[in-house]
Amino acid sequence: MRKQKVVVLTGAGISAESGLKTFRDADGLWEGYDIYEVATPEAWNRNPALVREFYNMRRKSVLEAQPNAAHMALVNLETKFDVTIITQNIDDLHERAGSSNVIHLHGLITKSQSSQNPLLVYDIDGWELKMGERCELGSQLRPHVVWFGESVPMIETAAKICTQADVFLIIGTSLAVYPAAGLIDFVPHDADKYVIDPNSPTIHSISNLKIIKEKASTGVPKIMQQLIK
Ligand code: OAD
């Protein structure tokens, strides 16, 4: 028998209790940094050292962090469901928790890519990407992340998966950034939808939607138990 399909859209809130800062909460990363100074192709052209430093710090925090109860609960869902996680996060905590199918919309901080050809992607050994480290074409390696103003190569794959959802979970995202925020529009009308977030974003005109105003580490295990029953 076909397993039911659970599609999960995660954002920075799921990793907050692992010690990784969100972007738009009070004390979030965009309080301390200007997006246009560190997360755009123009910033990289203007001041690559600053951009590299910003992402080196992010990488260091990610390597020191551990998956939390919410990441683990999503792994448990696989005992009963066909689960795909679509994450906006650039950390690898879903993979380290043990989730089998993870799509990174905004890239992965543990990898670098060629400045010349984005399809050339490499593992980074440790926390530091250094100036002078080059791809096989000879261009400086940059973080393997999607910057503002760049396209999101995985969005079509993600949208197609959303159309197959029987259950759709939205965890720890302000839904402030497109095209990721538009994925909910691809989810079938009759699918059960849950938002788990202590300050859940406003979502209009979506059927079968339940809002659980809780932190991920308690809210996600509860939903997981409920679905598995
Ligand atoms: P945001 O910082 O915009 O939103 C974080 C969400 O997590 C908010 O809705 C919080 O209420 C919620 N939150 C905080 N703590 C939580 C907890 N313990 N449990 C559950 N939820 C919690 O982060 P994102 O929505 O992920 O993109 O941001 C989307 C994109 O904007 C990021 O991928 C990044 C950023 O700029 C790029 O850099 C391209």
Side-chain angles (χ1 to χ4, degrees), residues 10-17 21-25 28 30 35 39 55 87-90 106 145-148 171-177 180 196-201 214-217:
T10 64
I14 195 168
S15 298
E17 291 161 90
K21 282 191 174 196
T22 63
F23 295 94
R24 295 175 184 80
D25 288 307
W30 297 150
I35 289 181
Y55 286 101
T87 188
Q88 297 165 85
N89 298 344
I90 58 175
H106 296 162
V145 297
V146 172
W147 285 324
F148 287 90
I171 306 168
T173 171
S174 61
L175 295 178
V177 172
I196 301 136
D197 191 313
N199 291 302
S200 61
E214 269 194 55
K215 289 188 170 184
S217 68

Short mmCIF file of all heavy atoms in Angstrom, two decimals, residues 10-17 21-25 28 30 35 39 55 87-90 106 145-148 171-177 180 196-201 214-217, ligand 1:
data_model
loop_
_atom_site.label_atom_id
_atom_site.label_comp_id
_atom_site.label_asym_id
_atom_site.label_seq_id
_atom_site.Cartn_x
_atom_site.Cartn_y
_atom_site.Cartn_z
N THR A 10 10.67 23.75 6.36
CA THR A 10 11.27 24.26 7.60
C THR A 10 12.04 25.56 7.34
O THR A 10 12.50 25.84 6.24
CB THR A 10 12.23 23.23 8.25
OG1 THR A 10 13.34 22.98 7.39
CG2 THR A 10 11.52 21.94 8.58
N GLY A 11 12.14 26.34 8.45
CA GLY A 11 12.93 27.57 8.42
C GLY A 11 13.80 27.64 9.66
O GLY A 11 13.87 26.67 10.45
N ALA A 12 14.41 28.79 9.85
CA ALA A 12 15.41 28.95 10.90
C ALA A 12 14.90 28.58 12.29
O ALA A 12 15.68 28.14 13.15
CB ALA A 12 15.91 30.39 10.89
N GLY A 13 13.57 28.72 12.53
CA GLY A 13 13.01 28.43 13.86
C GLY A 13 13.23 27.00 14.31
O GLY A 13 13.35 26.74 15.51
N ILE A 14 13.32 26.05 13.38
CA ILE A 14 13.50 24.65 13.81
C ILE A 14 14.90 24.44 14.39
O ILE A 14 15.12 23.55 15.22
CB ILE A 14 13.19 23.63 12.69
CG1 ILE A 14 13.04 22.23 13.31
CG2 ILE A 14 14.25 23.62 11.60
CD1 ILE A 14 12.46 21.18 12.39
N SER A 15 15.84 25.28 13.98
CA SER A 15 17.22 25.11 14.49
C SER A 15 17.53 26.08 15.64
O SER A 15 18.64 26.06 16.17
CB SER A 15 18.22 25.30 13.35
OG SER A 15 18.03 24.32 12.35
N ALA A 16 16.55 26.92 16.01
CA ALA A 16 16.81 27.92 17.06
C ALA A 16 17.21 27.27 18.37
O ALA A 16 18.15 27.72 19.06
CB ALA A 16 15.57 28.80 17.25
N GLU A 17 16.52 26.17 18.70
CA GLU A 17 16.83 25.51 19.98
C GLU A 17 18.08 24.63 19.89
O GLU A 17 18.49 24.04 20.89
CB GLU A 17 15.61 24.72 20.44
CG GLU A 17 14.48 25.64 20.85
CD GLU A 17 13.14 24.94 20.88
OE1 GLU A 17 12.79 24.40 21.93
OE2 GLU A 17 12.46 24.92 19.83
N LYS A 21 21.00 31.11 15.35
CA LYS A 21 20.15 32.30 15.34
C LYS A 21 19.18 32.27 14.16
O LYS A 21 19.55 31.82 13.07
CB LYS A 21 21.00 33.56 15.20
CG LYS A 21 21.67 33.98 16.48
CD LYS A 21 22.25 35.37 16.32
CE LYS A 21 22.80 35.85 17.65
NZ LYS A 21 23.03 37.29 17.68
N THR A 22 17.96 32.79 14.39
CA THR A 22 17.05 33.00 13.27
C THR A 22 17.45 34.33 12.61
O THR A 22 18.43 34.96 13.01
CB THR A 22 15.58 33.04 13.75
OG1 THR A 22 15.43 34.15 14.62
CG2 THR A 22 15.19 31.76 14.46
N PHE A 23 16.69 34.73 11.60
CA PHE A 23 17.03 35.96 10.87
C PHE A 23 16.26 37.18 11.34
O PHE A 23 16.81 38.26 11.52
CB PHE A 23 16.79 35.76 9.35
CG PHE A 23 17.70 34.73 8.77
CD1 PHE A 23 17.29 33.41 8.67
CD2 PHE A 23 18.98 35.07 8.37
CE1 PHE A 23 18.14 32.45 8.16
CE2 PHE A 23 19.83 34.12 7.86
CZ PHE A 23 19.41 32.79 7.75
N ARG A 24 14.93 36.99 11.55
CA ARG A 24 14.07 38.17 11.74
C ARG A 24 13.50 38.30 13.13
O ARG A 24 12.75 39.22 13.40
CB ARG A 24 12.94 38.16 10.69
CG ARG A 24 13.47 38.33 9.30
CD ARG A 24 12.45 38.22 8.20
NE ARG A 24 13.14 38.31 6.92
CZ ARG A 24 13.79 37.30 6.35
NH1 ARG A 24 13.81 36.10 6.93
NH2 ARG A 24 14.45 37.47 5.22
N ASP A 25 13.84 37.39 14.05
CA ASP A 25 13.40 37.58 15.44
C ASP A 25 14.25 38.69 16.05
O ASP A 25 15.29 39.07 15.49
CB ASP A 25 13.60 36.27 16.24
CG ASP A 25 12.59 35.20 15.82
OD1 ASP A 25 11.39 35.49 15.84
OD2 ASP A 25 13.02 34.08 15.49
N GLY A 28 17.89 38.56 15.91
CA GLY A 28 18.16 37.69 14.76
C GLY A 28 19.34 38.22 13.95
O GLY A 28 19.80 39.35 14.16
N TRP A 30 19.62 39.35 10.95
CA TRP A 30 19.45 40.58 10.16
C TRP A 30 19.30 41.83 11.04
O TRP A 30 19.18 42.94 10.55
CB TRP A 30 18.29 40.47 9.17
CG TRP A 30 18.46 39.41 8.09
CD1 TRP A 30 17.45 38.72 7.50
CD2 TRP A 30 19.67 38.94 7.46
NE1 TRP A 30 17.95 37.84 6.55
CE2 TRP A 30 19.31 37.95 6.52
CE3 TRP A 30 21.04 39.22 7.61
CZ2 TRP A 30 20.25 37.27 5.73
CZ3 TRP A 30 21.96 38.53 6.83
CH2 TRP A 30 21.57 37.58 5.92
N ILE A 35 21.64 42.74 5.05
CA ILE A 35 21.53 41.69 4.02
C ILE A 35 22.37 42.05 2.79
O ILE A 35 23.09 41.21 2.24
CB ILE A 35 20.05 41.54 3.56
CG1 ILE A 35 19.21 40.90 4.66
CG2 ILE A 35 19.97 40.72 2.27
CD1 ILE A 35 17.75 40.69 4.27
N ALA A 39 24.87 39.19 1.86
CA ALA A 39 24.12 38.08 1.25
C ALA A 39 23.61 38.41 -0.15
O ALA A 39 22.47 38.06 -0.49
CB ALA A 39 22.97 37.66 2.17
N TYR A 55 29.94 34.05 6.49
CA TYR A 55 29.55 32.64 6.33
C TYR A 55 30.51 31.70 7.07
O TYR A 55 30.09 30.63 7.51
CB TYR A 55 29.40 32.28 4.84
CG TYR A 55 28.12 32.87 4.28
CD1 TYR A 55 28.15 34.03 3.51
CD2 TYR A 55 26.89 32.29 4.57
CE1 TYR A 55 26.96 34.59 3.03
CE2 TYR A 55 25.71 32.85 4.10
CZ TYR A 55 25.76 34.00 3.33
OH TYR A 55 24.58 34.55 2.87
N THR A 87 13.82 22.46 3.10
CA THR A 87 14.29 23.41 4.10
C THR A 87 14.88 24.67 3.47
O THR A 87 15.54 24.60 2.42
CB THR A 87 15.32 22.77 5.07
OG1 THR A 87 15.59 23.71 6.12
CG2 THR A 87 16.63 22.38 4.39
N GLN A 88 14.62 25.80 4.13
CA GLN A 88 15.27 27.05 3.73
C GLN A 88 16.60 27.18 4.45
O GLN A 88 17.37 28.10 4.20
CB GLN A 88 14.38 28.24 4.11
CG GLN A 88 13.04 28.25 3.41
CD GLN A 88 12.06 29.21 4.08
OE1 GLN A 88 12.05 30.40 3.80
NE2 GLN A 88 11.25 28.71 4.98
N ASN A 89 16.85 26.28 5.39
CA ASN A 89 18.06 26.40 6.23
C ASN A 89 19.29 25.92 5.47
O ASN A 89 19.24 24.97 4.70
CB ASN A 89 17.90 25.58 7.51
CG ASN A 89 16.74 26.10 8.35
OD1 ASN A 89 16.27 27.22 8.13
ND2 ASN A 89 16.29 25.31 9.29
N ILE A 90 20.41 26.58 5.79
CA ILE A 90 21.66 26.16 5.17
C ILE A 90 22.46 25.26 6.11
O ILE A 90 23.56 24.84 5.79
CB ILE A 90 22.50 27.39 4.70
CG1 ILE A 90 22.81 28.35 5.86
CG2 ILE A 90 21.78 28.12 3.58
CD1 ILE A 90 23.74 29.50 5.46
N HIS A 106 18.03 26.94 -0.16
CA HIS A 106 18.98 28.05 -0.11
C HIS A 106 20.43 27.60 0.02
O HIS A 106 21.29 28.39 0.40
CB HIS A 106 18.60 29.01 1.04
CG HIS A 106 17.27 29.67 0.84
ND1 HIS A 106 16.54 30.26 1.84
CD2 HIS A 106 16.53 29.85 -0.30
CE1 HIS A 106 15.41 30.76 1.35
NE2 HIS A 106 15.38 30.52 0.06
N VAL A 145 25.61 28.88 -1.14
CA VAL A 145 24.33 29.39 -0.63
C VAL A 145 23.68 30.25 -1.72
O VAL A 145 24.37 30.79 -2.58
CB VAL A 145 24.49 30.22 0.66
CG1 VAL A 145 25.05 29.39 1.80
CG2 VAL A 145 25.35 31.44 0.43
N VAL A 146 22.35 30.34 -1.62
CA VAL A 146 21.63 31.19 -2.57
C VAL A 146 21.55 32.59 -1.97
O VAL A 146 21.06 32.76 -0.85
CB VAL A 146 20.22 30.63 -2.83
CG1 VAL A 146 19.39 31.60 -3.65
CG2 VAL A 146 20.30 29.28 -3.52
N TRP A 147 22.02 33.58 -2.69
CA TRP A 147 21.98 34.95 -2.21
C TRP A 147 20.75 35.68 -2.74
O TRP A 147 20.17 35.26 -3.76
CB TRP A 147 23.26 35.70 -2.63
CG TRP A 147 24.45 35.31 -1.82
CD1 TRP A 147 24.46 34.99 -0.49
CD2 TRP A 147 25.81 35.19 -2.26
NE1 TRP A 147 25.74 34.69 -0.08
CE2 TRP A 147 26.57 34.81 -1.14
CE3 TRP A 147 26.44 35.39 -3.49
CZ2 TRP A 147 27.95 34.62 -1.22
CZ3 TRP A 147 27.81 35.19 -3.56
CH2 TRP A 147 28.56 34.81 -2.44
N PHE A 148 20.39 36.77 -2.08
CA PHE A 148 19.27 37.59 -2.56
C PHE A 148 19.61 38.08 -3.96
O PHE A 148 20.74 38.52 -4.20
CB PHE A 148 19.00 38.74 -1.60
CG PHE A 148 18.34 38.26 -0.34
CD1 PHE A 148 19.10 37.87 0.75
CD2 PHE A 148 16.96 38.13 -0.27
CE1 PHE A 148 18.50 37.36 1.90
CE2 PHE A 148 16.35 37.63 0.87
CZ PHE A 148 17.12 37.25 1.95
N ILE A 171 7.25 24.65 9.65
CA ILE A 171 7.86 24.75 10.98
C ILE A 171 8.89 25.87 11.02
O ILE A 171 9.85 25.87 10.24
CB ILE A 171 8.57 23.41 11.34
CG1 ILE A 171 7.61 22.23 11.20
CG2 ILE A 171 9.13 23.47 12.77
CD1 ILE A 171 8.29 20.88 11.26
N GLY A 172 8.68 26.84 11.91
CA GLY A 172 9.72 27.83 12.23
C GLY A 172 10.16 28.70 11.07
O GLY A 172 11.35 28.91 10.89
N THR A 173 9.19 29.22 10.33
CA THR A 173 9.55 30.17 9.27
C THR A 173 8.57 31.33 9.26
O THR A 173 7.37 31.13 9.46
CB THR A 173 9.60 29.51 7.87
OG1 THR A 173 9.76 30.54 6.88
CG2 THR A 173 8.37 28.69 7.55
N SER A 174 9.10 32.54 9.02
CA SER A 174 8.25 33.73 8.95
C SER A 174 7.54 33.82 7.60
O SER A 174 6.69 34.68 7.42
CB SER A 174 9.10 34.98 9.17
OG SER A 174 10.08 35.08 8.14
N LEU A 175 7.88 32.96 6.68
CA LEU A 175 7.32 33.00 5.31
C LEU A 175 7.48 34.40 4.70
O LEU A 175 6.59 34.90 4.01
CB LEU A 175 5.85 32.55 5.30
CG LEU A 175 5.57 31.10 5.68
CD1 LEU A 175 4.07 30.81 5.67
CD2 LEU A 175 6.28 30.13 4.72
N ALA A 176 8.62 35.00 4.97
CA ALA A 176 8.87 36.36 4.48
C ALA A 176 9.63 36.36 3.16
O ALA A 176 9.76 37.40 2.51
CB ALA A 176 9.67 37.14 5.52
N VAL A 177 10.17 35.20 2.77
CA VAL A 177 11.04 35.17 1.60
C VAL A 177 10.46 34.27 0.50
O VAL A 177 10.12 33.11 0.75
CB VAL A 177 12.46 34.67 2.02
CG1 VAL A 177 13.34 34.45 0.80
CG2 VAL A 177 13.11 35.69 2.94
N ALA A 180 10.16 30.57 -1.67
CA ALA A 180 9.84 29.52 -0.69
C ALA A 180 8.46 29.73 -0.08
O ALA A 180 7.68 28.78 0.07
CB ALA A 180 10.91 29.50 0.41
N ILE A 196 3.74 25.11 12.91
CA ILE A 196 4.27 25.01 14.27
C ILE A 196 5.29 26.13 14.45
O ILE A 196 6.37 26.11 13.84
CB ILE A 196 4.91 23.63 14.51
CG1 ILE A 196 3.87 22.55 14.27
CG2 ILE A 196 5.49 23.54 15.93
CD1 ILE A 196 4.34 21.39 13.51
N ASP A 197 4.92 27.11 15.26
CA ASP A 197 5.75 28.32 15.40
C ASP A 197 5.16 29.15 16.54
O ASP A 197 3.95 29.39 16.55
CB ASP A 197 5.67 29.12 14.07
CG ASP A 197 6.69 30.24 13.98
OD1 ASP A 197 6.82 31.00 14.95
OD2 ASP A 197 7.33 30.37 12.92
N PRO A 198 5.98 29.58 17.49
CA PRO A 198 5.42 30.36 18.61
C PRO A 198 4.85 31.71 18.17
O PRO A 198 3.98 32.26 18.82
CB PRO A 198 6.61 30.56 19.56
CG PRO A 198 7.82 30.21 18.78
CD PRO A 198 7.41 29.34 17.64
N ASN A 199 5.33 32.24 17.05
CA ASN A 199 4.80 33.50 16.50
C ASN A 199 4.39 33.26 15.06
O ASN A 199 4.96 33.83 14.14
CB ASN A 199 5.88 34.58 16.48
CG ASN A 199 6.22 35.01 17.86
OD1 ASN A 199 5.36 35.45 18.59
ND2 ASN A 199 7.49 34.86 18.21
N SER A 200 3.41 32.40 14.87
CA SER A 200 3.18 31.91 13.51
C SER A 200 2.85 33.05 12.54
O SER A 200 2.18 34.01 12.91
CB SER A 200 2.06 30.89 13.51
OG SER A 200 0.90 31.51 13.96
N PRO A 201 3.35 32.93 11.30
CA PRO A 201 3.06 33.94 10.30
C PRO A 201 1.57 33.93 9.94
O PRO A 201 0.91 32.92 10.12
CB PRO A 201 3.90 33.50 9.10
CG PRO A 201 4.12 32.03 9.30
CD PRO A 201 4.12 31.80 10.77
N GLU A 214 3.70 26.89 19.31
CA GLU A 214 4.64 26.27 20.24
C GLU A 214 6.02 26.27 19.64
O GLU A 214 6.17 26.34 18.41
CB GLU A 214 4.24 24.81 20.48
CG GLU A 214 3.32 24.62 21.64
CD GLU A 214 3.22 23.15 22.05
OE1 GLU A 214 4.26 22.53 22.33
OE2 GLU A 214 2.09 22.65 22.06
N LYS A 215 7.01 26.13 20.50
CA LYS A 215 8.37 25.95 20.00
C LYS A 215 8.47 24.60 19.29
O LYS A 215 7.77 23.65 19.65
CB LYS A 215 9.35 26.00 21.16
CG LYS A 215 9.50 27.40 21.74
CD LYS A 215 10.62 27.42 22.75
CE LYS A 215 10.91 28.87 23.12
NZ LYS A 215 12.03 28.99 24.03
N ALA A 216 9.39 24.54 18.34
CA ALA A 216 9.52 23.33 17.54
C ALA A 216 9.83 22.09 18.40
O ALA A 216 9.29 21.02 18.16
CB ALA A 216 10.62 23.52 16.49
N SER A 217 10.66 22.25 19.42
CA SER A 217 11.11 21.07 20.18
C SER A 217 9.98 20.39 20.94
O SER A 217 10.08 19.21 21.27
CB SER A 217 12.22 21.45 21.15
OG SER A 217 11.69 22.28 22.16
P1 OAD B 1 13.03 34.02 10.01
O1 OAD B 1 14.05 34.52 10.97
O2 OAD B 1 12.46 34.98 9.04
O3 OAD B 1 11.82 33.40 10.83
C1 OAD B 1 12.05 32.53 11.90
C2 OAD B 1 10.72 31.96 12.38
O4 OAD B 1 11.02 30.99 13.38
C3 OAD B 1 9.79 33.01 13.00
O5 OAD B 1 8.46 32.82 12.50
C4 OAD B 1 9.85 32.66 14.50
O6 OAD B 1 8.63 32.93 15.18
C5 OAD B 1 10.13 31.18 14.47
N1 OAD B 1 10.78 30.62 15.67
C6 OAD B 1 11.67 31.18 16.50
N2 OAD B 1 12.05 30.32 17.46
C7 OAD B 1 11.37 29.16 17.23
C8 OAD B 1 11.32 27.89 17.86
N3 OAD B 1 12.05 27.61 18.95
N4 OAD B 1 10.52 26.95 17.33
C9 OAD B 1 9.76 27.21 16.22
N5 OAD B 1 9.76 28.38 15.59
C10 OAD B 1 10.55 29.35 16.08
O7 OAD B 1 13.69 32.75 9.29
P2 OAD B 1 13.23 32.04 7.94
O8 OAD B 1 11.75 32.13 7.76
O9 OAD B 1 13.86 30.71 7.92
O10 OAD B 1 17.46 33.22 3.33
O11 OAD B 1 13.94 32.96 6.87
C11 OAD B 1 13.81 32.65 5.50
C12 OAD B 1 15.04 33.04 4.77
O12 OAD B 1 15.36 34.41 5.04
C13 OAD B 1 16.30 32.30 5.18
O13 OAD B 1 16.43 31.06 4.55
C14 OAD B 1 17.39 33.25 4.77
C15 OAD B 1 16.80 34.52 5.29
O14 OAD B 1 17.24 35.70 4.75
C16 OAD B 1 18.60 33.54 2.70
O15 OAD B 1 19.60 33.91 3.28
C17 OAD B 1 18.50 33.40 1.20
#
